[in-house]
DNA sequence: CTGTTAGCGCGTTCAC
DNA sequence: GTGAACGCGCTAACAG
């Protein structure tokens, strides 16, 4: 890389001191108009840009927010990133994005590296494997170092920090209720393994809605998908049971369910209803398009940064972790009939 | 944030000098075993982590790569990010992700901020608006500052730097040829405005394939989508013309085409063929699923970082811009019949 | 008005 | 074997 121009070179070139240059560039009133003009002209000419590293070191802040996501191919996480980025830029921050790829080891490593001072704070959604291990030491360490941390979507109570989540129980309830309103009684649930708490919460909502209708939960109708195996093959068997609807906790599962239903000759939504979660492009372009619970990823992302930045900038105050709950909405499409 | 422990505090605490500590932590042979042990033990105990900012300032390198994308909701860009991140991590780098949101002004701004020394190099896919303006000064400035830059996918010749692209002409040809092999003769092209060069290149491939079959290009069959307007409404009219197939330059356009075709009562793929571009989830889950040209976003991302890092680390060598062309593959699905 | 000094945290000479 | 001094680029406090 070409030698960058610094305050020092300007100072030497113009025969003044570095601090004069520094002040002149900030239009300080301490400096005479003519020297200011001279210095500013020179700086412009040679396209001087202050070295942000030096500033960061000096100010002890980077204006960078670290973001660690499990993966990005879920449309949901893409929208969250957009939200985070937008909120960050608005407040003069930038984001550094990393992926844990659902791996515990990589999460630990990434957390360690980013907390070396390269970021002012972190926004994280916890990796599956970590959730499974229940080992949160890397997070609690962070908290005790008092590095601002916001957890979103996949959060756990063991970590004392700010959180942004959707009302998963309520959302699961809403989804199931909608199917019940469609006249469905035998509703399968396609969800994640138990250690992924969002799945568990949505399941609670599902059960709650059933109970209200005096329907007993049938565990055979609940499929916990292992993402390491073929998703479709795991869903298929439930279609051999007597079911008339499916609630899937994400859009991939929902899309698979629709495919299978159609192959089995079931007419959606006339004979069979499907509802998904996360309002992504798959739901929109599947046919029939899929009714879903919209998770508002963009909003979650934006709220997360705003919370984080507030924490970063007002570190003086007493720390009492906040939890923001984002409400979810039913996005009605073709895979279910409107509630009667 | 809690006061971080530094080399200095360790030195003071243990009654040695900072340089002794520095050397001890690097296991230098200049230091006696016992002082090393003492210092290392202390450092571990208090969880000492070298301040990366200070290191960056000292080494004049950040080990961070800036990435600027037009947007992320396209599955293609998500996969590119994954590829970039994986390649970066492997080489000990991190990525800083920003979005231009297709806006010229934001691209300029972001480029300026990131080139302040916060990154060692940049990977960019140019914003639509910039492509339209044809104003690349912010990029050429970067080049003349000798900041390593890799452009991918949406690139222009005016900028002298490394590039990674797919063989768009070849891909357009391949796609069109496949439809012709399906027995289609009246193929509509749904593409981007002319200023988006990838669209133009794919169009060239389309025309080339037609010419080979002695079919004259009919401009009425070529739709240039303005993304600011409703996509579907712009596609619909072409279905009133006499067509038997569609080549769409991305999967959203393809999914829309399929929907419209089905609504018009056309049977896909029996009566009508559709081929898309970018192998994303929509193509996979649409019904019928969509045959596409797979763009290999992950590979593009990974090759881009690798190229960039090579450039960053061997800056001594003479600079002769490289251009890597990634070949694309036909991904056969239900929306077309196998080539006969 | 302008310059000197010191320090952010670290590593690297070069003395001792 | 250990430490003092310097520099990375910048700014704030203090002198002049």
């Amino acid at each position: 890389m070409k030698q960058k121009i610094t305050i020092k070179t300007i100072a030497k070139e113009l025969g003044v001191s570095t601090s004069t240059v520094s002040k002149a560039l900030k239009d300080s009133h301490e400096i005479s108009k003519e020297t200011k003009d001279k210095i500013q002209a020179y700086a412009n000419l040679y396209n001087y840009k202050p070295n942000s590293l030096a500033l960061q070191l000096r100010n002890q802040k980077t204006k960078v927010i670290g973001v660690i996501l499990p993966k990005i191919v879920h449309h949901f996480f893409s929208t969250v990133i957009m939200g985070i980025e937008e909120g960050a830029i608005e407040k003069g921050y930038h984001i550094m994005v990393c992926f844990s790829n659902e791996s515990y080891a990589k999460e630990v490593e990434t957390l360690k590296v980013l907390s070396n001072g390269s970021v002012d704070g972190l926004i994280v959604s916890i990796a599956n494997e970590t959730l499974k291990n229940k080992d949160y030491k890397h997070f609690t360490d962070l908290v005790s170092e008092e590095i601002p941390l916001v957890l979103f979507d996949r959060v756990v109570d063991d970590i004392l920090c700010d959180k942004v989540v959707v009302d998963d129980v309520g959302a699961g309830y809403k989804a199931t209720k909608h199917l019940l309103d469609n006249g469905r009684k035998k509703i399968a649930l396609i969800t994640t393994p138990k250690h992924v708490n969002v799945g568990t919460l949505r399941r609670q909502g599902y059960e709650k809605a059933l109970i209200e209708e005096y329907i007993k939960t049938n565990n055979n109708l609940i499929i916990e998908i292992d993402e390491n195996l073929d998703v479709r093959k795991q869903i298929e068997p439930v279609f051999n049971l007597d079911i008339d609807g499916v609630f899937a906790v994400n859009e991939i599962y929902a899309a698979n369910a629709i495919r299978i239903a159609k192959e089995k000759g079931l007419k959606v939504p006339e004979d069979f209803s499907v509802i998904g979660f996360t309002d992504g492009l798959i739901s929109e372009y599947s046919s029939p398009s899929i009714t879903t619970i919209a998770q508002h990823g963009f909003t979650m992302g934006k709220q997360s940064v705003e919370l984080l930045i507030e924490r970063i900038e007002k570190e003086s105050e007493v720390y009492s972790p906040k939890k923001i709950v984002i409400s979810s909405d039913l996005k009605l499409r073709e895979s279910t009939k409107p509630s009667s």
Side-chain angles (χ1 to χ4, degrees), chain A:
Chain A
M1 208 175 317
K2 205 158 155 185
Q3 189 51 41
K4 282 251 178 106
I5 179 165
T6 75
I7 269 193
K8 200 166 158 187
T9 55
I10 300 185
K12 197 176 296 171
E13 216 58 39
L14 263 43
V16 293
S17 84
T18 57
S19 66
T20 306
V21 176
S22 172
K23 285 172 193 162
L25 291 174
K26 304 182 73 188
D27 230 352
S28 161
H29 32 259
E30 297 180 37
I31 307 292
S32 72
K33 179 143 185 2
E34 56 181 331
T35 33
K36 275 202 287 198
D37 285 349
K38 189 175 62 176
I39 291 173
Q40 287 172 3
Y42 190 97
N44 277 327
L45 181 60
Y46 290 98
N47 189 26
Y48 166 79
K49 296 186 237 172
N51 180 314
S52 73
L53 248 36
L55 285 179
Q56 290 174 29
L57 179 59
R58 174 154 233 295
N59 301 329
Q60 297 295 307
K61 62 179 74 153
T62 63
K63 291 286 199 169
V64 174
I65 289 167
V67 178
I68 305 179
L69 303 178
K71 57 189 158 195
I72 198 183
V73 286
H74 265 53
H75 184 259
F76 170 63
F77 286 117
S78 299
T79 56
V80 173
I81 292 200
M82 294 288 296
I84 295 180
E85 205 258 357
E86 181 172 306
I89 294 286
E90 278 174 10
K91 296 272 198 296
Y93 284 72
H94 283 267
I95 65 174
M96 200 141 150
V97 181
C98 300
F99 304 102
S100 62
N101 289 324
E102 305 285 14
S103 143
Y104 169 76
K106 196 166 172 221
E107 186 174 273
V108 173
E109 171 63 17
T110 310
L111 224 48
K112 206 176 70 188
V113 174
L114 291 191
S115 63
N116 270 224
S118 15
V119 301
D120 290 347
L122 284 158
I123 298 180
V124 185
S125 190
I126 307 176
N128 257 335
E129 200 188 342
T130 308
L131 253 19
K132 203 166 177 176
N133 295 349
K134 290 197 198 312
D135 182 349
Y136 309 120
K137 187 167 183 313
H138 49 309
F139 286 110
T140 52
D141 282 354
L142 217 62
V143 173
S144 59
E145 284 180 55
E146 289 172 34
I147 293 174
L149 169 69
V150 171
L151 251 32
F152 78 90
D153 194 53
R154 312 219 289 225
V155 309
V156 295
D157 288 337
D158 310 35
I159 307 168
L160 213 74
C161 66
D162 294 320
K163 287 157 195 149
V164 178
V165 294
V166 294
D167 171 21
D168 282 297
V169 178
Y173 174 81
K174 232 180 264 183
T176 313
K177 186 82 169 56
H178 175 66
L179 294 184
L180 292 166
D181 289 346
N182 261 225
R184 305 306 176 195
K185 303 264 181 227
K186 293 158 288 185
I187 302 168
L189 172 67
I190 305 178
T191 183
T192 61
K194 285 204 189 57
H195 60 81
V196 182
N197 47 352
V198 293
T200 307
L201 294 172
R202 289 169 201 170
R203 177 183 183 149
Q204 285 171 24
Y206 162 84
E207 291 176 345
K208 183 175 158 220
L210 292 184
I211 287 168
E212 280 188 12
E213 297 282 329
Y214 308 106
I215 297 175
K216 215 175 126 197
T217 307
N218 177 350
N219 282 329
N220 294 326
L221 300 189
I222 299 180
I223 312 296
E224 294 179 3
I225 300 294
D226 178 345
E227 295 241 357
N228 300 316
L229 307 176
D230 184 87
V231 171
R232 195 195 146 98
K233 285 207 181 104
Q234 295 175 76
I235 297 178
E236 215 150 10
V238 84
F239 276 84
N240 297 325
L241 305 179
D242 179 28
I243 59 175
D244 57 12
V246 160
F247 166 31
V249 299
N250 67 45
E251 60 173 2
I252 306 249
Y253 301 169
N256 273 291
I258 289 214
R259 295 219 116 192
I260 298 169
K262 288 202 305 192
E263 285 165 23
K264 297 268 179 193
L266 295 167
K267 276 199 174 167
V268 183
E270 294 80 0
D271 310 340
F272 197 87
S273 301
V274 174
I275 189 166
F277 214 99
T278 301
D279 185 31
L281 295 172
I282 298 179
S283 305
E284 192 174 340
Y285 286 106
S286 162
S287 42
S289 58
I290 307 174
T291 294
T292 64
I293 298 288
Q295 237 173 324
H296 301 180
F298 190 88
T299 309
M300 280 192 85
K302 198 149 180 188
Q303 299 246 15
S304 299
V305 236
E306 282 167 2
L307 191 53
L308 182 66
I309 292 177
E310 193 188 318
R311 197 62 81 186
I312 290 172
E313 299 187 343
K314 296 190 195 163
E315 51 176 329
S316 51
E317 299 184 15
V318 243
Y319 188 83
S320 65
K322 268 193 209 168
K323 183 170 196 165
I324 295 180
V325 177
I326 312 256
S327 73
S328 51
D329 294 323
L330 189 68
K331 177 96 191 183
L332 206 63
R333 291 217 185 79
E334 298 165 357
S335 67
T336 63
K337 290 173 291 191
S339 306
S340 48

